[in-house]
């Protein structure tokens, strides 16, 4: 999240899961640089990259700031999350 105010607003939400749609075409969707604020968010964060001619998809599932599941860019697949993870 680029703005601290937005981060604070999201942190204050009464929710268990954050769905975080992103748009990145750099090929570094789940790099430390791109995900540095995930550990400040809710226990479970689902980060989903757009898919078009520039951004090539990708999904990351974060639990308490740690990447626990992912689907790399340019890969087709399904990510499942159940309540046993959190």
């Amino acid at each position: 999240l680029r703005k601290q105010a937005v981060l604070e607003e999201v942190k204050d939400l009464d929710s268990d899961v954050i769905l975080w749609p992103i748009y990145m075409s750099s090929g570094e969707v789940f790099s430390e640089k791109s995900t540095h604020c995930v550990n400040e968010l809710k226990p479970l964060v689902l980060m989903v990259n757009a898919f078009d001619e520039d951004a090539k998809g990708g999904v990351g599932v974060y639990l308490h700031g740690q990447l626990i599941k992912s689907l790399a860019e340019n890969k087709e697949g399904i990510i499942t999350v159940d309540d046993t993870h959190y």
Side-chain angles (χ1 to χ4, degrees), residues 8 10 13 22 30 34 39 43-44 54 56 65-67 71 73-74:
E8 295 303 320
V10 171
L13 293 173
I22 61 174
F30 305 116
S34 302
N39 60 352
L44 188 62
D54 294 321
K56 300 302 181 196
Q66 299 297 314
L67 182 65
L71 181 63
E73 294 172 86
N74 290 315

Side-chain angles (χ1 to χ4, degrees), residues 28-39 62 65-66:
E28 298 181 10
V29 173
F30 305 116
S31 71
E32 181 72 26
K33 177 181 153 187
S34 302
T35 63
H36 66 279
C37 66
V38 170
N39 60 352
Y62 293 84
Q66 299 297 314

Side-chain angles (χ1 to χ4, degrees), residues 36-71:
H36 66 279
C37 66
V38 170
N39 60 352
E40 296 183 45
L41 298 175
K42 301 298 178 183
L44 188 62
V45 177
L46 309 175
M47 182 182 286
V48 181
N49 194 25
F51 188 89
D52 65 15
E53 61 187 49
D54 294 321
K56 300 302 181 196
V59 176
V61 179
Y62 293 84
L63 182 63
H64 301 290
Q66 299 297 314
L67 182 65
I68 60 169
K69 286 185 172 183
S70 65
L71 181 63

Side-chain angles (χ1 to χ4, degrees), residues 11 64 86:
K11 286 170 42 177
H64 301 290
Y86 61 101

